[in-house]
Amino acid sequence: MSGDRPTGDDRALLDGGGALDGGRVLDDGAVLDDGAAGGIAVVRVTTRAQLEQAWQVRLEVFVEEQQVPVEEEIDALDTAASTTHVLAVDASGAVLGTGRLLSDPAHPGEVHLGRLAVRAAARGRGAGARLVVGIEALALAEHAVVDGADALAVTVELSAQEHALGFYRRLGYELLPGERYLDAGIWHRDMAHRITG
């Protein structure tokens, strides 16, 4: 599917709420990652308004910029109970980017990071990396299994656009065996990173 492709630009979590007002997130929940270091926080999507803001970012990046057909971008997984969305926001609450985490109860300890997108004007500020780190923390907290040494572990897999491979390598991801493939007309490779805690 087209949407589990990142923008790859090297160019974060409210728990329980946060409404949107004019494209900004209003903090009415507990901030798990306030983004103090870089001024970019990652916010867990908990409302329909926030989900629509995530969709808007994805439409800008994937549909408008990358010419992915809209019918391939928004899918049934977006509203599945096993899907979690996040937003990257700046100190003023402006939404900079988004990503989603897919999980499947039939595959404990494995999740899929996808639909990573950062608005063009926000690229180069580290929002993409903050989103990945925030999603990994969420995956470890909610989807990890006990590893051999009584540590918690989760494997985060993703489908990377080829131009984004370096971005993900810098964040610890490695290529999985297999050939490159076209997804929505864009070349991709599968990658994974095992997170322990």
Side-chain angles (χ1 to χ4, degrees), residues 156-158 160 165 168-169 173-176 189-192:
V156 181
E157 297 181 356
L158 56 86
L165 296 178
Y168 284 112
R169 282 188 180 113
Y173 286 79
E174 297 179 1
L175 285 173
L176 293 174
R189 293 288 307 271
D190 290 334
M191 301 184 85

Side-chain angles (χ1 to χ4, degrees), residues 43-103:
V43 179
R44 183 181 193 138
V45 169
T46 59
T47 68
R48 177 68 182 204
Q50 289 173 320
L51 179 58
E52 290 174 2
Q53 188 63 46
W55 285 337
Q56 182 57 44
V57 172
R58 286 168 38 191
L59 292 173
E60 288 174 22
V61 173
F62 297 130
V63 176
E64 294 173 21
E65 289 182 32
Q66 298 184 351
Q67 303 302 304
V68 171
V70 68
E71 58 273 6
E72 290 185 37
E73 180 48 39
I74 308 298
D75 63 20
L77 291 172
D78 279 330
T79 54
S82 58
T83 300
T84 303
H85 299 268
V86 296
L87 297 171
V89 298
D90 68 13
S92 72
V95 176
L96 308 177
T98 188
R100 77 178 184 185
L101 179 67
L102 305 178
S103 63

Side-chain angles (χ1 to χ4, degrees), residues 88-160:
V89 298
D90 68 13
S92 72
V95 176
L96 308 177
T98 188
R100 77 178 184 185
L101 179 67
L102 305 178
S103 63
D104 181 351
H107 299 282
E110 297 177 10
V111 295
H112 187 90
L113 184 161
R115 300 304 209 260
L116 190 71
V118 175
R119 287 187 155 133
R123 294 179 190 151
R125 296 174 50 192
R130 295 287 296 191
L131 282 163
V132 171
V133 171
I135 289 170
E136 289 174 345
L138 185 61
L140 186 62
E142 297 184 5
H143 303 287
V145 295
V146 177
D147 203 0
D150 290 334
L152 293 177
V154 63
T155 299
V156 181
E157 297 181 356
L158 56 86
S159 176

